[in-house]
Amino acid sequence: MSEANEIDEAGTDQKGSGAARSFLSQYLSGDPPPIIEDPYSVSIEDINVIDGRLFQRDIHWNHFKRLREEDPVHFNELPGIGRYWSVTRFDDIMFVDKNHELFSSAHGITLGRRVGDESDPEGLQFSNFIAMDPPKHDLQRATVTGVVAPRNLAKLESTIRERTRNVLASLPVGETFNWVDRVSIELTTQMLATLFDFPFEERRKLTRWSDVATAPPGTGIVETAEQRREELMECLGYFTRLWNERVNTQTPGTDLISMLAHGENTKNMQPFEFLGNLILLIVGGNDTTRNSMSAGVLALNRNPAEYDKLRNDTSLITNMVPEIIRWHTPLPYMRRTANQDVEIRGRQIKAGDQVLMWYVSGNRDEEVIERPDEFIIDRPNARHHLSFGFGIHRCMGNRLAEMQLRVLWEEIMRKFSAIEVVGEPERLRSSFIRGITSLPVRVHPL
Ligand code: HEM
């Protein structure tokens, strides 16, 4: 869900203009500023929740707690990145998200670059509708949204169920394996292949492109900006071939590529706009759902009484799914840019300032959500969370994601008495994607 050539958090450099590069290279060169493990040990101005290392170590919770309590609209400024505000309370996040006239998406959805910054050394100028304002946003969204409309989803459910059963049946009973790779990635990738009508045997390319698009050079996925560019150009080339095969047919297919190729508002997209929107759909449908699939297993293992509740009553799955999505919050924040001066809780946000809506914090706001740190599968009003955002950019795939998770848990409960976590999870160094990269488990058949 990233605009792939942005800087999206301290510690990741997705573009690397001048000063930003020098700031970020500190993180990448092995000489990063010290990590603030205990937010109560420093003065409040020194707290900077954009640091991806906090999320990698899963120690960001108290940072946000302190901000919610003492400085809910918190200011930071970084060289090359500029002024930005962290909004951490539920109601304030809703206010920003719902007021797209005041807060624009068109300057980027992750911290850092401004659209139109010509110093992009990679020369990749993506654009996609998550990073647009009306009217263009509305027109492009309207073109593709049908693919996840309830009627289409109902048609997809049996395919998803069959694929889920096959994946679960292939798991090695009696062995320790990585749930992320064998289940979460595999299932979300299969789903994406279905949505794009992408050659099934090559579906892992989609996972790779999603990772390359969101991971900055030098952090393990790709080593250099050049490599990243080459791989994304390969992605563009591949999808352009699919587009060309499908654009001239009399009866367009119902897959996403056909929808884009035939849609009034998308058929004349420039290549980088096409690539940008592909990446939006690949990442949107990939990382988020993938991480929710892993997070559910982790949450139930950390809360065995909830797992027992589920064993006693599997009809709770429908309610558990939004609770997993709240508890994990796969996308910790989205950025907006103030179109004009705005005051929130007495803080003066200036026109042009960046505003980060920290969903991951709003979802733990004790003023709105009771016992927010607890994972409660029969929580009343479980769908009242921020993980899908609000307003005109509210997640387009939210129903699809919920359905995938529901089907997965229905099938898990039919087959296994427990998915047992047998080691510590490993997490992504990112404050934009809350990723679980490894989760060692053993499965126990019923
Ligand atoms: C648990 C899974 C998911 C989570 C937590 C999630 C979260 C989000 C969030 C936070 C936003 C931005 C909302 C805002 O700015 O107000 C968003 C937008 C979006 N999501 Fe998702 N998402 C998920 C699954 C999916 C799936 C499966 C798809 C694939 C179809 C998808 C496609 C999109 C698209 C296209 C947008 C842009 C919408 C717009 O700008 O109008 N998402 N998502």
Side-chain angles (χ1 to χ4, degrees):
M1 180 101 7
S2 161
E3 295 164 294
N5 55 344
E6 293 195 5
I7 299 156
D8 69 5
E9 71 254 332
T12 67
D13 182 0
Q14 304 212 358
K15 173 177 164 285
S17 66
R21 190 178 275 291
S22 68
F23 165 75
L24 292 163
S25 63
Q26 271 193 300
Y27 283 85
L28 300 175
S29 67
D31 181 25
I35 186 167
I36 295 170
E37 297 203 1
D38 175 7
Y40 292 96
S41 68
V42 295
S43 80
I44 194 108
E45 303 83 58
D46 293 334
I47 295 183
N48 192 343
V49 281
I50 203 70
D51 187 343
R53 294 170 303 173
L54 298 176
F55 291 82
Q56 186 175 33
R57 298 182 192 192
D58 202 34
I59 56 170
H60 52 284
W61 303 109
N62 279 340
H63 297 66
F64 284 110
K65 190 173 168 44
R66 182 160 180 217
L67 291 186
R68 281 195 305 275
E69 282 166 359
E70 296 176 33
D71 192 21
V73 182
H74 176 71
F75 180 75
N76 290 102
E77 187 166 15
L78 287 172
I81 287 175
R83 293 163 53 87
Y84 61 95
W85 299 87
S86 285
V87 179
T88 53
R89 288 261 188 94
F90 194 104
D91 292 341
D92 298 339
I93 292 165
M94 283 269 251
F95 171 77
V96 175
D97 221 349
K98 283 185 162 177
N99 281 288
H100 59 271
E101 295 90 356
L102 290 180
F103 300 101
S104 166
S105 295
H107 304 276
I109 52 146
T110 54
L111 181 67
R113 184 179 71 101
R114 314 232 149 205
V115 167
D117 176 349
E118 299 307 324
S119 63
D120 178 1
E122 290 176 50
L124 294 174
Q125 296 286 352
F126 298 146
S127 102
N128 51 42
F129 65 86
I130 199 169
M132 289 177 191
D133 291 330
K136 212 173 165 193
H137 161 270
D138 305 8
L139 294 172
Q140 290 204 358
R141 176 169 169 138
T143 307
V144 290
T145 196
V147 78
V148 285
R151 200 146 42 104
N152 249 10
L153 291 190
K155 282 192 216 147
L156 283 175
E157 181 164 337
S158 55
T159 315
I160 291 178
R161 192 173 295 282
E162 191 192 318
R163 289 183 167 170
T164 305
R165 274 188 195 148
N166 291 341
V167 167
L168 295 180
S170 74
L171 298 178
V173 174
E175 282 175 32
T176 298
F177 64 91
N178 182 5
W179 180 263
V180 175
D181 193 54
R182 294 290 294 254
V183 180
S184 311
I185 294 182
E186 187 52 33
L187 278 181
T188 34
T189 306
Q190 290 191 10
M191 187 62 241
L192 278 177
T194 311
L195 287 180
F196 286 113
D197 196 10
F198 193 87
F200 198 65
E201 63 290 356
E202 298 214 86
R203 62 190 181 279
R204 284 270 166 153
K205 280 187 189 297
L206 294 167
T207 321
R208 174 71 192 164
W209 291 328
S210 173
D211 289 346
V212 170
T214 50
T219 49
I221 305 279
V222 283
E223 290 318 314
T224 61
E226 184 54 34
Q227 185 195 350
R228 182 163 171 273
R229 181 187 159 79
E230 271 169 24
E231 292 205 34
L232 291 177
M233 293 310 289
E234 184 200 324
C235 169
L236 178 61
Y238 199 109
F239 274 100
T240 304
R241 273 201 306 284
L242 295 182
W243 172 294
N244 289 338
E245 281 165 23
R246 293 172 197 181
V247 70
N248 290 320
T249 53
Q250 293 296 328
T251 43
T254 52
D255 63 281
L256 273 174
I257 304 296
S258 300
M259 284 176 136
L260 290 170
H262 291 268
E264 259 325 293
N265 299 305
T266 47
K267 64 184 181 190
N268 295 320
M269 277 190 294
Q270 296 301 310
F272 281 132
E273 198 170 358
F274 178 42
L275 181 58
N277 277 308
L278 285 174
I279 286 170
L280 170 58
L281 293 163
I282 295 173
V283 179
N286 188 33
D287 267 324
T288 50
T289 317
R290 173 207 298 187
N291 288 314
S292 307
M293 288 179 173
S294 307
V297 172
L298 190 59
L300 286 169
N301 273 265
R302 296 244 164 112
N303 299 274
E306 298 303 300
Y307 211 160
D308 285 342
K309 244 189 229 173
L310 180 64
R311 287 187 194 97
N312 290 334
D313 181 2
T314 51
S315 74
L316 290 174
I317 289 172
T318 322
N319 202 74
M320 176 178 79
V321 164
E323 175 67 351
I324 292 172
I325 295 170
R326 178 195 73 87
W327 191 77
H328 186 66
T329 315
L331 294 177
Y333 81 90
M334 283 278 158
R335 168 194 157 193
R336 299 291 186 264
T337 304
N339 279 332
Q340 60 186 70
D341 294 356
V342 194
E343 186 181 309
I344 307 180
R345 287 192 195 264
R347 304 302 302 263
Q348 309 296 327
I349 297 173
K350 290 192 194 152
D353 284 356
Q354 300 169 73
V355 178
L356 310 186
M357 304 175 286
W358 286 100
Y359 302 131
V360 73
S361 171
N363 277 340
R364 300 291 167 108
D365 185 343
E366 33 294 272
E367 282 188 8
V368 176
I369 298 173
E370 249 180 72
R371 295 150 66 198
D373 292 328
E374 291 174 43
F375 176 71
I376 305 171
I377 67 169
D378 50 356
R379 177 185 287 285
N381 212 4
R383 299 192 90 238
H384 190 54
H385 63 68
L386 293 166
S387 298
F388 291 127
F390 273 94
I392 61 166
H393 290 281
R394 181 170 168 80
C395 176
M396 198 184 92
N398 71 83
R399 288 207 182 94
L400 171 61
E402 287 186 346
M403 180 178 77
Q404 284 177 269
L405 287 165
R406 173 174 58 74
V407 169
L408 172 63
W409 280 101
E410 284 168 359
E411 294 306 319
I412 287 175
M413 295 312 288
R414 278 195 192 121
K415 198 166 171 55
F416 299 113
S417 62
I419 313 290
E420 183 195 0
V421 173
V422 293
E424 282 305 303
E426 283 172 25
R427 296 171 192 272
L428 199 65
R429 192 175 92 189
S430 169
S431 53
F432 185 66
I433 292 177
R434 204 161 163 244
I436 300 176
T437 50
S438 164
L439 187 65
V441 300
R442 278 177 169 246
V443 292
H444 301 278
L446 277 178

Short mmCIF file of all heavy atoms in Angstrom, two decimals, residues 1 97 129-131 137 141 148 195 280-281 284-286 288-289 292 325 330-331 334 336 357 359 386-398 400-401 404-405, ligand 1:
data_model
loop_
_atom_site.label_atom_id
_atom_site.label_comp_id
_atom_site.label_asym_id
_atom_site.label_seq_id
_atom_site.Cartn_x
_atom_site.Cartn_y
_atom_site.Cartn_z
N MET A 1 0.82 -1.20 0.00
CA MET A 1 0.00 0.00 0.00
C MET A 1 0.85 1.25 0.00
O MET A 1 0.44 2.31 0.38
CB MET A 1 -0.87 -0.08 1.24
CG MET A 1 -1.80 1.01 1.48
SD MET A 1 -3.47 0.66 1.04
CE MET A 1 -3.52 -1.00 0.60
N ASP A 97 -9.25 11.88 8.66
CA ASP A 97 -9.55 10.95 7.57
C ASP A 97 -10.83 11.36 6.82
O ASP A 97 -10.92 11.21 5.60
CB ASP A 97 -9.73 9.53 8.15
CG ASP A 97 -9.08 8.47 7.26
OD1 ASP A 97 -8.70 8.80 6.13
OD2 ASP A 97 -8.97 7.30 7.69
N PHE A 129 -4.60 5.86 -7.14
CA PHE A 129 -5.73 6.64 -6.62
C PHE A 129 -5.74 6.76 -5.11
O PHE A 129 -6.43 7.62 -4.57
CB PHE A 129 -7.07 6.15 -7.20
CG PHE A 129 -7.50 4.75 -6.83
CD1 PHE A 129 -8.21 4.54 -5.66
CD2 PHE A 129 -7.25 3.68 -7.66
CE1 PHE A 129 -8.66 3.27 -5.32
CE2 PHE A 129 -7.69 2.41 -7.34
CZ PHE A 129 -8.38 2.20 -6.16
N ILE A 130 -4.98 5.96 -4.42
CA ILE A 130 -4.91 6.18 -2.97
C ILE A 130 -4.21 7.51 -2.68
O ILE A 130 -4.42 8.12 -1.63
CB ILE A 130 -4.21 5.00 -2.25
CG1 ILE A 130 -4.57 5.00 -0.76
CG2 ILE A 130 -2.70 5.03 -2.42
CD1 ILE A 130 -4.15 3.74 0.00
N ALA A 131 -3.38 7.93 -3.62
CA ALA A 131 -2.66 9.20 -3.44
C ALA A 131 -3.22 10.27 -4.37
O ALA A 131 -2.48 11.01 -5.02
CB ALA A 131 -1.17 8.98 -3.71
N HIS A 137 -9.55 10.75 -7.99
CA HIS A 137 -9.62 9.59 -7.10
C HIS A 137 -10.93 8.83 -7.29
O HIS A 137 -10.96 7.62 -7.47
CB HIS A 137 -9.47 10.01 -5.63
CG HIS A 137 -9.99 8.98 -4.67
ND1 HIS A 137 -11.30 8.97 -4.23
CD2 HIS A 137 -9.40 7.89 -4.12
CE1 HIS A 137 -11.47 7.92 -3.43
NE2 HIS A 137 -10.34 7.27 -3.34
N ARG A 141 -11.29 4.99 -8.60
CA ARG A 141 -11.77 4.00 -7.64
C ARG A 141 -13.04 3.33 -8.16
O ARG A 141 -13.19 2.11 -8.09
CB ARG A 141 -12.01 4.66 -6.28
CG ARG A 141 -12.59 3.68 -5.27
CD ARG A 141 -12.59 4.23 -3.86
NE ARG A 141 -13.38 3.37 -2.99
CZ ARG A 141 -13.05 3.00 -1.76
NH1 ARG A 141 -11.93 3.42 -1.24
NH2 ARG A 141 -13.84 2.22 -1.06
N VAL A 148 -14.51 -6.07 -6.11
CA VAL A 148 -14.71 -6.54 -4.73
C VAL A 148 -16.13 -6.25 -4.23
O VAL A 148 -16.38 -6.19 -3.03
CB VAL A 148 -13.66 -5.91 -3.77
CG1 VAL A 148 -12.30 -6.56 -3.96
CG2 VAL A 148 -13.55 -4.41 -3.97
N LEU A 195 -7.72 -12.51 -8.66
CA LEU A 195 -8.25 -11.17 -8.95
C LEU A 195 -7.72 -10.61 -10.26
O LEU A 195 -8.41 -9.93 -10.99
CB LEU A 195 -7.90 -10.19 -7.82
CG LEU A 195 -8.64 -10.33 -6.50
CD1 LEU A 195 -8.16 -9.28 -5.53
CD2 LEU A 195 -10.15 -10.21 -6.70
N LEU A 280 -0.65 -0.61 -6.01
CA LEU A 280 -1.65 -0.35 -4.97
C LEU A 280 -2.51 -1.61 -4.74
O LEU A 280 -2.75 -2.02 -3.60
CB LEU A 280 -2.53 0.83 -5.39
CG LEU A 280 -3.77 1.10 -4.55
CD1 LEU A 280 -3.39 1.35 -3.10
CD2 LEU A 280 -4.53 2.30 -5.10
N LEU A 281 -2.95 -2.21 -5.83
CA LEU A 281 -3.83 -3.37 -5.67
C LEU A 281 -3.06 -4.60 -5.19
O LEU A 281 -3.55 -5.37 -4.37
CB LEU A 281 -4.54 -3.67 -6.99
CG LEU A 281 -5.53 -2.57 -7.40
CD1 LEU A 281 -5.92 -2.68 -8.86
CD2 LEU A 281 -6.78 -2.61 -6.51
N GLY A 284 -2.01 -3.69 -1.54
CA GLY A 284 -3.24 -3.57 -0.75
C GLY A 284 -3.83 -4.94 -0.45
O GLY A 284 -4.27 -5.22 0.67
N GLY A 285 -3.82 -5.81 -1.46
CA GLY A 285 -4.44 -7.11 -1.28
C GLY A 285 -3.48 -8.15 -0.73
O GLY A 285 -3.86 -9.28 -0.51
N ASN A 286 -2.25 -7.77 -0.51
CA ASN A 286 -1.24 -8.78 -0.18
C ASN A 286 -0.75 -8.66 1.26
O ASN A 286 -1.12 -9.45 2.12
CB ASN A 286 -0.08 -8.62 -1.16
CG ASN A 286 0.94 -9.72 -1.04
OD1 ASN A 286 0.59 -10.85 -0.74
ND2 ASN A 286 2.19 -9.40 -1.23
N THR A 288 -1.38 -6.69 3.79
CA THR A 288 -2.32 -6.46 4.88
C THR A 288 -3.02 -7.74 5.30
O THR A 288 -3.04 -8.10 6.47
CB THR A 288 -3.37 -5.45 4.40
OG1 THR A 288 -3.86 -5.89 3.14
CG2 THR A 288 -2.79 -4.05 4.29
N THR A 289 -3.56 -8.45 4.32
CA THR A 289 -4.29 -9.68 4.62
C THR A 289 -3.32 -10.76 5.11
O THR A 289 -3.60 -11.49 6.05
CB THR A 289 -5.04 -10.18 3.37
OG1 THR A 289 -5.64 -9.05 2.75
CG2 THR A 289 -6.12 -11.17 3.73
N SER A 292 -2.56 -10.17 8.67
CA SER A 292 -3.71 -10.49 9.53
C SER A 292 -3.82 -12.00 9.72
O SER A 292 -4.23 -12.47 10.78
CB SER A 292 -5.01 -9.97 8.93
OG SER A 292 -4.90 -8.61 8.64
N ILE A 325 -8.18 -7.82 13.10
CA ILE A 325 -7.73 -6.72 12.26
C ILE A 325 -7.49 -5.46 13.10
O ILE A 325 -6.56 -4.69 12.86
CB ILE A 325 -8.74 -6.49 11.10
CG1 ILE A 325 -8.75 -7.72 10.19
CG2 ILE A 325 -8.41 -5.23 10.32
CD1 ILE A 325 -9.85 -7.74 9.15
N PRO A 330 -2.75 -3.79 10.49
CA PRO A 330 -1.69 -4.08 9.52
C PRO A 330 -1.03 -2.83 8.91
O PRO A 330 0.13 -2.88 8.55
CB PRO A 330 -2.41 -4.88 8.43
CG PRO A 330 -3.61 -5.46 9.10
CD PRO A 330 -4.03 -4.47 10.13
N LEU A 331 -1.79 -1.74 8.78
CA LEU A 331 -1.16 -0.49 8.31
C LEU A 331 -1.18 0.51 9.47
O LEU A 331 -2.23 1.07 9.78
CB LEU A 331 -1.92 0.09 7.11
CG LEU A 331 -1.88 -0.75 5.84
CD1 LEU A 331 -2.72 -0.11 4.74
CD2 LEU A 331 -0.45 -0.94 5.34
N MET A 334 -1.50 6.33 7.93
CA MET A 334 -1.60 6.92 6.59
C MET A 334 -1.29 8.40 6.75
O MET A 334 -1.65 9.01 7.75
CB MET A 334 -3.02 6.78 6.02
CG MET A 334 -3.35 5.42 5.50
SD MET A 334 -2.72 5.22 3.82
CE MET A 334 -2.65 3.45 3.76
N ARG A 336 -1.57 12.41 5.44
CA ARG A 336 -2.25 13.45 4.68
C ARG A 336 -1.38 14.70 4.72
O ARG A 336 -0.43 14.78 5.50
CB ARG A 336 -3.62 13.77 5.29
CG ARG A 336 -4.61 12.62 5.32
CD ARG A 336 -5.08 12.23 3.93
NE ARG A 336 -6.12 11.21 3.98
CZ ARG A 336 -5.89 9.90 3.84
NH1 ARG A 336 -4.67 9.44 3.66
NH2 ARG A 336 -6.90 9.04 3.89
N MET A 357 -1.94 9.89 10.44
CA MET A 357 -3.06 9.34 11.24
C MET A 357 -2.61 7.98 11.73
O MET A 357 -2.53 7.02 10.95
CB MET A 357 -4.30 9.17 10.36
CG MET A 357 -4.77 10.42 9.66
SD MET A 357 -6.14 10.04 8.56
CE MET A 357 -5.33 9.20 7.21
N TYR A 359 -3.41 4.91 12.98
CA TYR A 359 -4.49 3.95 13.26
C TYR A 359 -4.11 3.00 14.39
O TYR A 359 -4.94 2.60 15.20
CB TYR A 359 -4.79 3.12 12.02
CG TYR A 359 -5.18 3.90 10.78
CD1 TYR A 359 -4.56 3.64 9.56
CD2 TYR A 359 -6.18 4.87 10.82
CE1 TYR A 359 -4.93 4.32 8.40
CE2 TYR A 359 -6.55 5.55 9.67
CZ TYR A 359 -5.91 5.28 8.47
OH TYR A 359 -6.27 5.96 7.33
N LEU A 386 -10.19 1.36 13.42
CA LEU A 386 -9.68 2.27 12.40
C LEU A 386 -8.83 1.59 11.33
O LEU A 386 -8.34 2.25 10.42
CB LEU A 386 -8.81 3.35 13.08
CG LEU A 386 -9.54 4.33 13.99
CD1 LEU A 386 -8.52 5.10 14.83
CD2 LEU A 386 -10.38 5.31 13.17
N SER A 387 -8.66 0.29 11.43
CA SER A 387 -7.67 -0.38 10.57
C SER A 387 -7.93 -0.22 9.08
O SER A 387 -7.01 -0.33 8.27
CB SER A 387 -7.60 -1.87 10.90
OG SER A 387 -7.18 -2.05 12.22
N PHE A 388 -9.19 0.00 8.69
CA PHE A 388 -9.49 0.20 7.27
C PHE A 388 -9.61 1.67 6.91
O PHE A 388 -9.97 2.01 5.78
CB PHE A 388 -10.80 -0.51 6.89
CG PHE A 388 -10.73 -2.02 6.92
CD1 PHE A 388 -11.65 -2.76 7.64
CD2 PHE A 388 -9.76 -2.70 6.19
CE1 PHE A 388 -11.61 -4.15 7.66
CE2 PHE A 388 -9.72 -4.10 6.20
CZ PHE A 388 -10.64 -4.82 6.93
N GLY A 389 -9.34 2.56 7.84
CA GLY A 389 -9.50 3.98 7.59
C GLY A 389 -10.97 4.37 7.53
O GLY A 389 -11.86 3.54 7.83
N PHE A 390 -11.19 5.61 7.17
CA PHE A 390 -12.56 6.14 7.04
C PHE A 390 -12.60 7.14 5.90
O PHE A 390 -11.56 7.54 5.40
CB PHE A 390 -13.00 6.82 8.34
CG PHE A 390 -13.60 5.85 9.32
CD1 PHE A 390 -12.83 5.26 10.29
CD2 PHE A 390 -14.93 5.50 9.22
CE1 PHE A 390 -13.36 4.34 11.17
CE2 PHE A 390 -15.48 4.57 10.08
CZ PHE A 390 -14.70 4.00 11.07
N GLY A 391 -13.79 7.55 5.50
CA GLY A 391 -13.89 8.58 4.48
C GLY A 391 -13.72 8.01 3.09
O GLY A 391 -13.85 6.81 2.86
N ILE A 392 -13.36 8.89 2.15
CA ILE A 392 -13.39 8.48 0.73
C ILE A 392 -12.31 7.46 0.39
O ILE A 392 -12.40 6.77 -0.62
CB ILE A 392 -13.28 9.69 -0.23
CG1 ILE A 392 -11.97 10.44 -0.02
CG2 ILE A 392 -14.48 10.61 -0.10
CD1 ILE A 392 -11.67 11.41 -1.15
N HIS A 393 -11.27 7.35 1.20
CA HIS A 393 -10.21 6.38 0.92
C HIS A 393 -10.37 5.09 1.72
O HIS A 393 -9.48 4.23 1.68
CB HIS A 393 -8.84 6.99 1.22
CG HIS A 393 -8.45 8.06 0.26
ND1 HIS A 393 -7.96 7.80 -1.01
CD2 HIS A 393 -8.50 9.41 0.36
CE1 HIS A 393 -7.71 8.93 -1.63
NE2 HIS A 393 -8.04 9.93 -0.82
N ARG A 394 -11.47 4.96 2.44
CA ARG A 394 -11.66 3.74 3.24
C ARG A 394 -11.35 2.52 2.38
O ARG A 394 -11.70 2.45 1.20
CB ARG A 394 -13.10 3.66 3.76
CG ARG A 394 -13.33 2.43 4.63
CD ARG A 394 -14.69 2.50 5.32
NE ARG A 394 -15.06 1.23 5.91
CZ ARG A 394 -14.61 0.79 7.08
NH1 ARG A 394 -13.77 1.52 7.79
NH2 ARG A 394 -15.00 -0.38 7.55
N CYS A 395 -10.67 1.57 3.00
CA CYS A 395 -10.15 0.42 2.25
C CYS A 395 -11.17 -0.18 1.30
O CYS A 395 -12.26 -0.57 1.70
CB CYS A 395 -9.68 -0.66 3.22
SG CYS A 395 -9.13 -2.14 2.37
N MET A 396 -10.75 -0.29 0.04
CA MET A 396 -11.64 -0.84 -0.96
C MET A 396 -11.82 -2.35 -0.79
O MET A 396 -12.85 -2.91 -1.16
CB MET A 396 -11.03 -0.55 -2.34
CG MET A 396 -11.96 -0.65 -3.49
SD MET A 396 -11.05 -0.38 -5.03
CE MET A 396 -10.62 -2.06 -5.45
N GLY A 397 -10.80 -3.00 -0.23
CA GLY A 397 -10.85 -4.46 -0.17
C GLY A 397 -11.28 -5.00 1.18
O GLY A 397 -11.07 -6.18 1.47
N ASN A 398 -11.92 -4.17 2.01
CA ASN A 398 -12.16 -4.61 3.40
C ASN A 398 -13.05 -5.85 3.47
O ASN A 398 -12.80 -6.76 4.26
CB ASN A 398 -12.64 -3.46 4.28
CG ASN A 398 -14.05 -3.00 3.98
OD1 ASN A 398 -15.01 -3.58 4.44
ND2 ASN A 398 -14.16 -1.94 3.20
N LEU A 400 -13.42 -8.16 1.17
CA LEU A 400 -12.65 -9.30 0.65
C LEU A 400 -11.70 -9.82 1.73
O LEU A 400 -11.61 -11.03 1.97
CB LEU A 400 -11.86 -8.85 -0.58
CG LEU A 400 -10.85 -9.85 -1.12
CD1 LEU A 400 -11.51 -11.14 -1.57
CD2 LEU A 400 -10.06 -9.26 -2.29
N ALA A 401 -11.01 -8.90 2.39
CA ALA A 401 -10.06 -9.32 3.43
C ALA A 401 -10.79 -10.06 4.54
O ALA A 401 -10.34 -11.13 4.99
CB ALA A 401 -9.34 -8.09 3.98
N GLN A 404 -11.73 -13.57 3.38
CA GLN A 404 -10.59 -14.49 3.33
C GLN A 404 -10.25 -15.00 4.73
O GLN A 404 -9.98 -16.17 4.94
CB GLN A 404 -9.35 -13.78 2.78
CG GLN A 404 -9.39 -13.58 1.29
CD GLN A 404 -8.16 -12.81 0.83
OE1 GLN A 404 -8.15 -11.60 0.75
NE2 GLN A 404 -7.09 -13.52 0.55
N LEU A 405 -10.27 -14.07 5.70
CA LEU A 405 -9.92 -14.46 7.07
C LEU A 405 -11.00 -15.37 7.68
O LEU A 405 -10.69 -16.34 8.37
CB LEU A 405 -9.72 -13.22 7.93
CG LEU A 405 -8.43 -12.46 7.62
CD1 LEU A 405 -8.47 -11.07 8.24
CD2 LEU A 405 -7.22 -13.22 8.13
C1 HEM B 1 -6.85 -6.64 6.61
C2 HEM B 1 -6.64 -6.23 5.41
C3 HEM B 1 -6.55 -4.78 4.96
C4 HEM B 1 -6.31 -3.66 5.69
C5 HEM B 1 -6.04 -3.54 7.19
C6 HEM B 1 -6.34 -2.53 4.78
C7 HEM B 1 -6.16 -1.21 5.16
C8 HEM B 1 -6.33 -0.12 4.32
C9 HEM B 1 -6.20 1.26 4.72
C10 HEM B 1 -5.84 1.74 6.11
C11 HEM B 1 -6.45 2.03 3.64
C12 HEM B 1 -6.43 3.57 3.59
C13 HEM B 1 -7.66 4.11 4.23
C14 HEM B 1 -7.70 5.61 4.36
O1 HEM B 1 -6.79 6.30 3.89
O2 HEM B 1 -8.69 6.11 4.92
C15 HEM B 1 -6.72 1.13 2.54
C16 HEM B 1 -7.01 1.53 1.25
C17 HEM B 1 -7.11 0.66 0.19
N1 HEM B 1 -7.12 -0.72 0.23
FE1 HEM B 1 -6.95 -1.87 1.89
N2 HEM B 1 -6.59 -3.01 3.52
C18 HEM B 1 -6.74 -4.37 3.59
C19 HEM B 1 -7.02 -5.24 2.53
C20 HEM B 1 -7.17 -4.86 1.22
C21 HEM B 1 -7.41 -5.76 0.12
C22 HEM B 1 -7.59 -7.28 0.22
C23 HEM B 1 -7.42 -5.00 -1.01
C24 HEM B 1 -7.58 -5.51 -2.42
C25 HEM B 1 -8.50 -5.37 -3.19
C26 HEM B 1 -7.25 -3.60 -0.62
C27 HEM B 1 -7.25 -2.53 -1.46
C28 HEM B 1 -7.22 -1.21 -1.05
C29 HEM B 1 -7.30 -0.08 -1.96
C30 HEM B 1 -7.42 -0.17 -3.47
C31 HEM B 1 -7.24 1.08 -1.19
C32 HEM B 1 -7.29 2.54 -1.67
C33 HEM B 1 -8.68 3.08 -1.49
C34 HEM B 1 -8.83 4.53 -1.89
O3 HEM B 1 -7.85 5.28 -1.89
O4 HEM B 1 -9.96 4.93 -2.24
N3 HEM B 1 -7.10 -3.57 0.75
N4 HEM B 1 -6.65 -0.17 2.97
#
